Amino acid sequence: MSNLILAIDQGTTSTRAIAFEVSPDGAFAPVAVSQIELQQHFPRSGWVEHDAAEIWTATLQTCREAIRKAGGVGRFAAIGITNQRETSVVWNAATGEPLHRAVVWQDRRTADVTARLAAEGHEAEVQAATGLILDPYFSASKFAWLLGVVPGARERAERGEVRLGTIESWLIFKLTGGDSHVTDATNASRTSLMDLRSRQWRPDLCELFGVPVQALPEIRDCDSRLGETDASLFGRALPIHGAAGDQQAALVGHGALQPGEAKITYGTGAFLVANVGAEPVASTSRLLGTLAYAAEGRVAYALEGSIFSAGSAIQWLRDGLKVISESRQSEAMAQSLADNGGVYLVPGFTGLGAPWWEPEARGTVIGLTRDSGPAHMVRAALESLAYQTRDLLDALARDGAPRLETLRVDGGVTANAFAMQFVADICEVTVERPAFQEMTALGAARLAAFGCGLTDRLATPPSEAPAIWRPKMDDEQRQALLKGWRRAVRAAIIAAGGNPE
Ligand code: ADP
């Protein structure tokens, strides 16, 4: 029986294929994994590129290996794809050859373009239509840059000879032997070119950014049939039946499909995605309005906020400050203290993200005394995860999002029970960590399984019980800690020459 789903997880640092077995009750069990690291190219300061051809080759190789390990292509019902979002690819429509290296989401080369558009007063219209602020992070300015730098590309794009797309679109084109040039609505919602309500490209925004609409992929629901693989690739044609950007796929993986449900992934940075329901919410707190998913015949919207330094603060304790030799030692060290001793660390190593958006901010420590030692730095770094999460949840509340009861978490830092309890205490929410951690790949698998009819619901409760942390701190203590944190954030912003008001 074909009851396996192949989930492709094309991330920033690696490409993975995971085979999931889907049982009749709708439970997903991983049965094979294959992974290949991805080379990073930094041609100039602030520029980050990937080789799209390398991504394709690695995808093919990992898929073939996972299929082989799982017992052959005959066992598979469909493919689902999840991917690093915003990363932009340009390719020749006829040959399928990339015309330039892909411009990665982290790349800031088009900062002058988005700054100019903001100075010309376009931010309000872009935000109203797409939910996004003007920032080089999103694909539109990257697409335009690619068309400008490859000789003749813009004219050829206008004639339909050159294609543009984000990573899932590129992979679907290659997997289908050039048959399908499509994207899913979550990936499209990260370009600055899609209207959040109609889920169609906006001709006015395409013109504003200089991106010919005919070069863009067709936008589809996340669980729709996106194409069929060229039969020669895996020995049999497989339908591609699901796609979503990585953070949205993780939301689906967590099963956070109802308004008021949210997930945060604590990896190097941290990404909060909160389901706000069937209508988009316009943020006044500089959170991003985005699509949660378009599947099961309905659409859900989300607000998103990112924390730039989460696990990277722990890496800094280990590799920079050298007060721990392994990340996991941070837990016992933080717990060796009765309290934080008034020491707060604002991990603004690469600026502060939402809701502060202070790119010039840097790491700041306040409250040091002669008693402060390495454990205080460790504890302050772990506590900062919770304070930053609280800032995002407060921004959500200001935007009128439904109140969260439970915050679902995943990512490397969630191994730290001290940090998770502190998040529950500071944020006044129940924190829930599923036993199975690969939420991104699971989300893609769920979309594809539902899309191809293997399951009758997008999400079923996990079979293994999650780890749960409930708030137990008294309010007086919480408020005193939050007061200290806010002083520290003000200090960080003032030190960067910004205005904390
Ligand atoms: P990414 O996907 O961004 O590479 P991961 O989800 O793999 O990140 O998480 C890796 C991060 O988790 C690292 O920054 C590491 O320092 C941190 N980390 C891992 N284990 C712990 C722990 N026990 N306590 C705190 N941080 C941890």
Side-chain angles (χ1 to χ4, degrees):
M1 192 181 119
S2 305
N3 65 338
L4 265 59
I5 296 288
L6 185 64
I8 298 170
D9 180 0
Q10 205 303 302
T12 310
T13 56
S14 77
T15 304
R16 295 191 310 156
I18 303 186
F20 286 93
E21 188 165 41
V22 186
S23 61
D25 62 355
F28 286 70
V31 292
V33 184
S34 173
Q35 177 164 8
I36 296 178
E37 297 302 312
L38 177 61
Q39 198 181 345
Q40 312 291 313
H41 300 274
F42 305 104
R44 289 191 206 172
S45 163
W47 291 32
V48 190
E49 297 179 350
H50 288 159
D51 178 349
E54 179 189 346
I55 289 179
W56 163 236
T57 311
T59 301
L60 199 54
Q61 207 176 324
T62 52
C63 285
R64 284 180 173 153
E65 190 175 310
I67 289 172
R68 184 181 53 74
K69 283 186 185 166
V73 70
R75 297 194 63 204
F76 285 84
I79 293 181
I81 302 182
T82 180
N83 56 287
Q84 50 168 323
R85 304 174 304 173
E86 298 101 9
T87 298
S88 304
V89 190
V90 60
W91 67 92
N92 180 316
T95 65
E97 294 300 318
L99 298 175
H100 196 277
R101 282 208 194 118
V103 180
V104 176
W105 58 274
Q106 297 141 321
D107 192 293
R108 311 292 297 173
R109 76 184 64 182
T110 54
D112 57 333
V113 175
T114 49
R116 177 176 52 77
L117 292 175
E120 288 170 5
H122 291 292
E123 186 156 73
E125 76 192 77
V126 172
Q127 198 183 18
T130 68
L132 306 176
I133 59 168
L134 274 170
D135 194 273
Y137 182 18
F138 307 108
S139 312
S141 61
K142 299 183 197 291
F143 285 151
W145 186 89
L146 285 164
L147 292 180
V149 79
V150 178
R154 177 159 284 112
E155 296 70 37
R156 289 167 66 206
E158 281 161 6
R159 292 199 299 268
E161 296 166 17
V162 160
R163 303 286 170 90
L164 294 167
T166 39
I167 294 292
E168 81 303 334
S169 185
W170 161 245
L171 290 179
I172 294 168
F173 187 88
K174 296 301 279 184
L175 285 165
T176 60
D179 264 1
S180 298
H181 185 213
V182 297
T183 182
D184 81 281
T186 65
N187 274 296
S189 79
R190 314 297 297 184
T191 57
S192 307
L193 300 174
M194 189 192 85
D195 187 286
L196 260 190
R197 287 176 186 275
S198 70
R199 287 174 288 134
Q200 297 298 323
W201 302 121
R202 289 273 298 230
D204 57 338
L205 295 182
C206 290
E207 192 166 329
L208 181 69
F209 283 97
V211 177
V213 71
Q214 51 281 40
L216 294 172
E218 185 188 321
I219 303 172
R220 300 267 184 88
D221 282 1
C222 307
D223 59 352
S224 67
R225 192 181 174 94
L226 298 159
E228 197 172 74
T229 62
D230 183 329
S232 67
L233 296 176
F234 306 124
R236 182 168 83 84
L238 282 174
I240 304 167
H241 240 305
D246 51 11
Q247 300 308 322
Q248 283 92 342
L251 189 78
V252 174
H254 275 285
L257 302 182
Q258 301 304 322
E261 296 185 326
K263 72 92 202 175
I264 186 163
T265 302
Y266 290 109
T268 309
F271 290 90
L272 172 79
V273 181
N275 188 328
V276 297
E279 288 293 319
V281 172
S283 177
T284 53
S285 318
R286 296 186 70 80
L287 296 175
L288 303 174
T290 196
L291 204 76
Y293 61 88
E296 279 185 327
R298 60 202 167 105
V299 177
Y301 292 92
L303 284 172
E304 178 173 321
S306 14
I307 296 170
F308 293 157
S309 297
S312 58
I314 315 304
Q315 285 164 5
W316 173 73
L317 294 172
R318 186 189 62 197
D319 307 334
L321 218 51
K322 296 189 166 42
V323 292
I324 50 174
S325 55
E326 284 179 67
S327 297
R328 63 186 174 84
Q329 288 171 348
S330 60
E331 182 171 344
M333 224 162 144
Q335 268 164 338
S336 71
L337 300 175
D339 56 45
N340 68 9
V343 179
Y344 294 86
L345 165 68
V346 182
F349 302 112
T350 52
L352 289 174
W356 309 103
W357 294 106
E358 201 59 61
E360 303 305 326
R362 290 297 171 259
T364 303
V365 181
I366 68 159
L368 294 176
T369 66
R370 285 296 297 272
D371 294 330
S372 309
H376 290 90
M377 294 299 281
V378 171
R379 183 160 177 142
L382 289 175
E383 286 192 358
S384 76
L385 300 171
Y387 301 132
Q388 293 181 95
T389 307
R390 170 83 195 214
D391 288 344
L392 290 180
L393 298 186
D394 285 348
L396 272 182
R398 281 198 302 277
D399 283 345
R403 198 189 125 64
L404 296 189
E405 301 289 336
T406 302
L407 184 61
R408 296 161 202 235
V409 299
D410 62 291
V413 183
T414 65
N416 192 307
F418 168 82
M420 294 303 106
Q421 180 60 53
F422 205 75
V423 170
D425 285 338
I426 290 298
C427 299
E428 298 171 80
V429 289
T430 299
V431 172
E432 203 174 291
R433 184 188 69 202
F436 179 66
Q437 280 282 294
E438 300 293 347
M439 289 295 119
T440 308
L442 178 60
R446 281 183 157 171
L447 287 164
F450 178 77
C452 76
L454 205 54
T455 53
D456 61 4
R457 259 170 307 166
L458 201 47
T460 43
S463 40
E464 281 177 85
I468 290 179
W469 292 272
R470 292 198 170 83
K472 54 184 187 194
M473 184 180 279
D474 66 57
D475 197 48
E476 197 180 334
Q477 191 185 355
R478 180 185 305 116
Q479 294 309 331
L481 288 166
L482 283 169
K483 205 168 152 195
W485 166 253
R486 285 174 190 140
R487 271 207 311 271
V489 171
R490 285 172 66 89
I493 294 173
I494 290 167
N499 178 3
E501 297 317 323

PDB file of all heavy atoms in Angstrom, residues 13 46 62 72 117 119 121 154 159 167 182 194-195 226 231 258 286 353-355 367 371 386 413 426 428 441:
ATOM      1  N   THR A  13      20.708  25.994   5.642  1.00  0.00           N
ATOM      2  CA  THR A  13      22.030  25.371   5.765  1.00  0.00           C
ATOM      3  C   THR A  13      22.077  23.942   5.241  1.00  0.00           C
ATOM      4  O   THR A  13      23.152  23.384   5.090  1.00  0.00           O
ATOM      5  CB  THR A  13      22.505  25.380   7.235  1.00  0.00           C
ATOM      6  OG1 THR A  13      21.504  24.725   8.024  1.00  0.00           O
ATOM      7  CG2 THR A  13      22.692  26.795   7.754  1.00  0.00           C
ATOM      8  N   GLY A  46      27.245  41.564   3.767  1.00  0.00           N
ATOM      9  CA  GLY A  46      25.785  41.724   3.678  1.00  0.00           C
ATOM     10  C   GLY A  46      25.136  40.942   2.541  1.00  0.00           C
ATOM     11  O   GLY A  46      23.921  40.951   2.409  1.00  0.00           O
ATOM     12  N   THR A  62      18.923  13.530  -2.030  1.00  0.00           N
ATOM     13  CA  THR A  62      18.324  13.182  -0.729  1.00  0.00           C
ATOM     14  C   THR A  62      16.995  12.465  -0.931  1.00  0.00           C
ATOM     15  O   THR A  62      16.677  11.516  -0.199  1.00  0.00           O
ATOM     16  CB  THR A  62      18.124  14.421   0.168  1.00  0.00           C
ATOM     17  OG1 THR A  62      17.420  15.413  -0.579  1.00  0.00           O
ATOM     18  CG2 THR A  62      19.424  14.987   0.667  1.00  0.00           C
ATOM     19  N   GLY A  72      11.520   1.864  -1.419  1.00  0.00           N
ATOM     20  CA  GLY A  72      11.202   2.005  -2.844  1.00  0.00           C
ATOM     21  C   GLY A  72      10.034   2.930  -3.128  1.00  0.00           C
ATOM     22  O   GLY A  72       9.175   3.166  -2.268  1.00  0.00           O
ATOM     23  N   LEU A 117      12.026  53.348  -1.547  1.00  0.00           N
ATOM     24  CA  LEU A 117      10.566  53.205  -1.654  1.00  0.00           C
ATOM     25  C   LEU A 117       9.878  53.704  -0.379  1.00  0.00           C
ATOM     26  O   LEU A 117       8.826  54.344  -0.435  1.00  0.00           O
ATOM     27  CB  LEU A 117      10.178  51.746  -1.931  1.00  0.00           C
ATOM     28  CG  LEU A 117      10.582  51.216  -3.315  1.00  0.00           C
ATOM     29  CD1 LEU A 117      10.266  49.729  -3.434  1.00  0.00           C
ATOM     30  CD2 LEU A 117       9.886  51.996  -4.427  1.00  0.00           C
ATOM     31  N   ALA A 119      11.137  56.014   1.661  1.00  0.00           N
ATOM     32  CA  ALA A 119      11.273  57.474   1.678  1.00  0.00           C
ATOM     33  C   ALA A 119      10.272  58.127   0.739  1.00  0.00           C
ATOM     34  O   ALA A 119       9.807  59.249   0.976  1.00  0.00           O
ATOM     35  CB  ALA A 119      12.710  57.872   1.290  1.00  0.00           C
ATOM     36  N   GLY A 121       7.385  57.165   0.398  1.00  0.00           N
ATOM     37  CA  GLY A 121       6.050  57.056   1.008  1.00  0.00           C
ATOM     38  C   GLY A 121       5.243  55.848   0.596  1.00  0.00           C
ATOM     39  O   GLY A 121       4.017  55.849   0.692  1.00  0.00           O
ATOM     40  N   ARG A 154      15.425  41.083 -18.060  1.00  0.00           N
ATOM     41  CA  ARG A 154      14.117  41.718 -17.869  1.00  0.00           C
ATOM     42  C   ARG A 154      13.275  41.600 -19.139  1.00  0.00           C
ATOM     43  O   ARG A 154      12.098  41.225 -19.077  1.00  0.00           O
ATOM     44  CB  ARG A 154      14.272  43.170 -17.428  1.00  0.00           C
ATOM     45  CG  ARG A 154      12.924  43.857 -17.287  1.00  0.00           C
ATOM     46  CD  ARG A 154      12.916  45.084 -16.407  1.00  0.00           C
ATOM     47  NE  ARG A 154      12.949  44.755 -14.990  1.00  0.00           N
ATOM     48  CZ  ARG A 154      13.949  45.000 -14.178  1.00  0.00           C
ATOM     49  NH1 ARG A 154      15.026  45.580 -14.637  1.00  0.00           N
ATOM     50  NH2 ARG A 154      13.896  44.680 -12.915  1.00  0.00           N
ATOM     51  N   ARG A 159       8.899  38.485 -22.039  1.00  0.00           N
ATOM     52  CA  ARG A 159       8.461  37.602 -23.140  1.00  0.00           C
ATOM     53  C   ARG A 159       8.171  36.180 -22.654  1.00  0.00           C
ATOM     54  O   ARG A 159       7.869  35.291 -23.446  1.00  0.00           O
ATOM     55  CB  ARG A 159       9.552  37.545 -24.218  1.00  0.00           C
ATOM     56  CG  ARG A 159       9.765  38.862 -24.967  1.00  0.00           C
ATOM     57  CD  ARG A 159      10.505  38.613 -26.293  1.00  0.00           C
ATOM     58  NE  ARG A 159      11.831  38.026 -26.098  1.00  0.00           N
ATOM     59  CZ  ARG A 159      12.960  38.730 -25.980  1.00  0.00           C
ATOM     60  NH1 ARG A 159      12.921  40.058 -26.034  1.00  0.00           N
ATOM     61  NH2 ARG A 159      14.116  38.120 -25.832  1.00  0.00           N
ATOM     62  N   ILE A 167      12.231  29.136  -3.519  1.00  0.00           N
ATOM     63  CA  ILE A 167      12.860  27.805  -3.632  1.00  0.00           C
ATOM     64  C   ILE A 167      11.865  26.686  -3.960  1.00  0.00           C
ATOM     65  O   ILE A 167      12.148  25.809  -4.776  1.00  0.00           O
ATOM     66  CB  ILE A 167      13.656  27.492  -2.340  1.00  0.00           C
ATOM     67  CG1 ILE A 167      14.843  28.454  -2.195  1.00  0.00           C
ATOM     68  CG2 ILE A 167      14.108  26.040  -2.308  1.00  0.00           C
ATOM     69  CD1 ILE A 167      15.958  28.290  -3.213  1.00  0.00           C
ATOM     70  N   VAL A 182       4.684  26.989 -10.430  1.00  0.00           N
ATOM     71  CA  VAL A 182       3.676  27.331  -9.423  1.00  0.00           C
ATOM     72  C   VAL A 182       4.369  27.653  -8.094  1.00  0.00           C
ATOM     73  O   VAL A 182       5.541  27.334  -7.890  1.00  0.00           O
ATOM     74  CB  VAL A 182       2.684  26.158  -9.194  1.00  0.00           C
ATOM     75  CG1 VAL A 182       1.894  25.862 -10.452  1.00  0.00           C
ATOM     76  CG2 VAL A 182       3.414  24.902  -8.729  1.00  0.00           C
ATOM     77  N   MET A 194       2.203  39.772  -3.318  1.00  0.00           N
ATOM     78  CA  MET A 194       0.895  39.119  -3.278  1.00  0.00           C
ATOM     79  C   MET A 194      -0.080  39.883  -2.393  1.00  0.00           C
ATOM     80  O   MET A 194       0.269  40.287  -1.294  1.00  0.00           O
ATOM     81  CB  MET A 194       1.025  37.680  -2.757  1.00  0.00           C
ATOM     82  CG  MET A 194      -0.270  36.896  -2.910  1.00  0.00           C
ATOM     83  SD  MET A 194      -0.293  35.316  -2.027  1.00  0.00           S
ATOM     84  CE  MET A 194      -0.809  35.870  -0.387  1.00  0.00           C
ATOM     85  N   ASP A 195      -1.289  40.052  -2.905  1.00  0.00           N
ATOM     86  CA  ASP A 195      -2.353  40.641  -2.107  1.00  0.00           C
ATOM     87  C   ASP A 195      -2.829  39.589  -1.099  1.00  0.00           C
ATOM     88  O   ASP A 195      -3.239  38.497  -1.483  1.00  0.00           O
ATOM     89  CB  ASP A 195      -3.503  41.055  -3.029  1.00  0.00           C
ATOM     90  CG  ASP A 195      -4.565  41.824  -2.278  1.00  0.00           C
ATOM     91  OD1 ASP A 195      -5.312  41.204  -1.507  1.00  0.00           O
ATOM     92  OD2 ASP A 195      -4.614  43.050  -2.457  1.00  0.00           O
ATOM     93  N   LEU A 226       0.335  20.269  -7.116  1.00  0.00           N
ATOM     94  CA  LEU A 226       1.242  21.283  -7.662  1.00  0.00           C
ATOM     95  C   LEU A 226       1.994  20.772  -8.879  1.00  0.00           C
ATOM     96  O   LEU A 226       2.734  21.511  -9.516  1.00  0.00           O
ATOM     97  CB  LEU A 226       2.229  21.714  -6.572  1.00  0.00           C
ATOM     98  CG  LEU A 226       1.549  22.366  -5.359  1.00  0.00           C
ATOM     99  CD1 LEU A 226       2.432  22.307  -4.131  1.00  0.00           C
ATOM    100  CD2 LEU A 226       1.168  23.805  -5.657  1.00  0.00           C
ATOM    101  N   ALA A 231       8.743  11.079 -14.498  1.00  0.00           N
ATOM    102  CA  ALA A 231       8.825   9.659 -14.113  1.00  0.00           C
ATOM    103  C   ALA A 231      10.260   9.143 -14.097  1.00  0.00           C
ATOM    104  O   ALA A 231      10.591   8.206 -13.356  1.00  0.00           O
ATOM    105  CB  ALA A 231       7.970   8.821 -15.061  1.00  0.00           C
ATOM    106  N   GLN A 258      -6.068  26.738  14.676  1.00  0.00           N
ATOM    107  CA  GLN A 258      -7.193  27.578  15.115  1.00  0.00           C
ATOM    108  C   GLN A 258      -6.699  28.960  15.527  1.00  0.00           C
ATOM    109  O   GLN A 258      -5.569  29.108  15.990  1.00  0.00           O
ATOM    110  CB  GLN A 258      -7.904  26.920  16.308  1.00  0.00           C
ATOM    111  CG  GLN A 258      -8.453  25.538  16.020  1.00  0.00           C
ATOM    112  CD  GLN A 258      -9.396  25.534  14.821  1.00  0.00           C
ATOM    113  OE1 GLN A 258     -10.177  26.469  14.616  1.00  0.00           O
ATOM    114  NE2 GLN A 258      -9.311  24.490  14.007  1.00  0.00           N
ATOM    115  N   ARG A 286       4.421  46.673  14.227  1.00  0.00           N
ATOM    116  CA  ARG A 286       5.494  46.236  13.333  1.00  0.00           C
ATOM    117  C   ARG A 286       5.742  44.724  13.411  1.00  0.00           C
ATOM    118  O   ARG A 286       6.858  44.243  13.223  1.00  0.00           O
ATOM    119  CB  ARG A 286       6.775  47.051  13.531  1.00  0.00           C
ATOM    120  CG  ARG A 286       6.536  48.519  13.144  1.00  0.00           C
ATOM    121  CD  ARG A 286       7.747  49.394  13.165  1.00  0.00           C
ATOM    122  NE  ARG A 286       8.731  49.133  12.128  1.00  0.00           N
ATOM    123  CZ  ARG A 286       8.660  49.551  10.863  1.00  0.00           C
ATOM    124  NH1 ARG A 286       7.638  50.204  10.436  1.00  0.00           N
ATOM    125  NH2 ARG A 286       9.619  49.307  10.016  1.00  0.00           N
ATOM    126  N   GLY A 353      15.127  42.664  16.525  1.00  0.00           N
ATOM    127  CA  GLY A 353      14.011  42.429  15.603  1.00  0.00           C
ATOM    128  C   GLY A 353      12.709  42.962  16.180  1.00  0.00           C
ATOM    129  O   GLY A 353      12.690  43.930  16.946  1.00  0.00           O
ATOM    130  N   ALA A 354      11.610  42.306  15.808  1.00  0.00           N
ATOM    131  CA  ALA A 354      10.291  42.745  16.237  1.00  0.00           C
ATOM    132  C   ALA A 354      10.193  42.684  17.762  1.00  0.00           C
ATOM    133  O   ALA A 354      10.768  41.786  18.370  1.00  0.00           O
ATOM    134  CB  ALA A 354       9.233  41.836  15.624  1.00  0.00           C
ATOM    135  N   PRO A 355       9.454  43.570  18.420  1.00  0.00           N
ATOM    136  CA  PRO A 355       8.772  44.711  17.811  1.00  0.00           C
ATOM    137  C   PRO A 355       9.631  45.973  17.773  1.00  0.00           C
ATOM    138  O   PRO A 355       9.144  47.039  17.445  1.00  0.00           O
ATOM    139  CB  PRO A 355       7.582  44.916  18.763  1.00  0.00           C
ATOM    140  CG  PRO A 355       8.148  44.546  20.101  1.00  0.00           C
ATOM    141  CD  PRO A 355       9.158  43.450  19.850  1.00  0.00           C
ATOM    142  N   GLY A 367      23.391  45.974  35.113  1.00  0.00           N
ATOM    143  CA  GLY A 367      23.210  45.454  36.467  1.00  0.00           C
ATOM    144  C   GLY A 367      24.378  44.670  37.030  1.00  0.00           C
ATOM    145  O   GLY A 367      24.227  43.972  38.039  1.00  0.00           O
ATOM    146  N   ASP A 371      29.604  40.895  42.599  1.00  0.00           N
ATOM    147  CA  ASP A 371      29.173  39.506  42.808  1.00  0.00           C
ATOM    148  C   ASP A 371      28.842  38.797  41.507  1.00  0.00           C
ATOM    149  O   ASP A 371      28.615  37.591  41.500  1.00  0.00           O
ATOM    150  CB  ASP A 371      27.904  39.465  43.680  1.00  0.00           C
ATOM    151  CG  ASP A 371      28.176  39.960  45.073  1.00  0.00           C
ATOM    152  OD1 ASP A 371      29.331  39.790  45.523  1.00  0.00           O
ATOM    153  OD2 ASP A 371      27.257  40.528  45.681  1.00  0.00           O
ATOM    154  N   ALA A 386      12.913  34.520  27.117  1.00  0.00           N
ATOM    155  CA  ALA A 386      11.547  34.677  27.622  1.00  0.00           C
ATOM    156  C   ALA A 386      11.091  36.128  27.509  1.00  0.00           C
ATOM    157  O   ALA A 386       9.961  36.404  27.097  1.00  0.00           O
ATOM    158  CB  ALA A 386      11.482  34.210  29.069  1.00  0.00           C
ATOM    159  N   VAL A 413      16.848  25.012  21.313  1.00  0.00           N
ATOM    160  CA  VAL A 413      16.874  25.610  22.655  1.00  0.00           C
ATOM    161  C   VAL A 413      15.811  25.000  23.573  1.00  0.00           C
ATOM    162  O   VAL A 413      15.942  25.043  24.796  1.00  0.00           O
ATOM    163  CB  VAL A 413      16.669  27.147  22.556  1.00  0.00           C
ATOM    164  CG1 VAL A 413      16.753  27.799  23.912  1.00  0.00           C
ATOM    165  CG2 VAL A 413      17.695  27.765  21.614  1.00  0.00           C
ATOM    166  N   ILE A 426       7.239  34.050  32.495  1.00  0.00           N
ATOM    167  CA  ILE A 426       7.267  35.456  32.069  1.00  0.00           C
ATOM    168  C   ILE A 426       6.122  35.764  31.109  1.00  0.00           C
ATOM    169  O   ILE A 426       5.565  36.858  31.121  1.00  0.00           O
ATOM    170  CB  ILE A 426       8.649  35.778  31.432  1.00  0.00           C
ATOM    171  CG1 ILE A 426       9.739  35.776  32.503  1.00  0.00           C
ATOM    172  CG2 ILE A 426       8.648  37.103  30.674  1.00  0.00           C
ATOM    173  CD1 ILE A 426       9.564  36.815  33.594  1.00  0.00           C
ATOM    174  N   GLU A 428       3.241  34.085  30.914  1.00  0.00           N
ATOM    175  CA  GLU A 428       1.939  33.671  31.453  1.00  0.00           C
ATOM    176  C   GLU A 428       1.172  32.800  30.467  1.00  0.00           C
ATOM    177  O   GLU A 428      -0.012  33.016  30.214  1.00  0.00           O
ATOM    178  CB  GLU A 428       1.083  34.888  31.830  1.00  0.00           C
ATOM    179  CG  GLU A 428       1.686  35.743  32.919  1.00  0.00           C
ATOM    180  CD  GLU A 428       0.908  37.039  33.101  1.00  0.00           C
ATOM    181  OE1 GLU A 428      -0.140  36.998  33.755  1.00  0.00           O
ATOM    182  OE2 GLU A 428       1.361  38.073  32.576  1.00  0.00           O
ATOM    183  N   ALA A 441       9.164  19.679   8.626  1.00  0.00           N
ATOM    184  CA  ALA A 441       8.966  18.574   7.684  1.00  0.00           C
ATOM    185  C   ALA A 441       7.607  17.927   7.913  1.00  0.00           C
ATOM    186  O   ALA A 441       6.907  17.562   6.959  1.00  0.00           O
ATOM    187  CB  ALA A 441      10.083  17.550   7.855  1.00  0.00           C
TER     188      ALA A 441
END
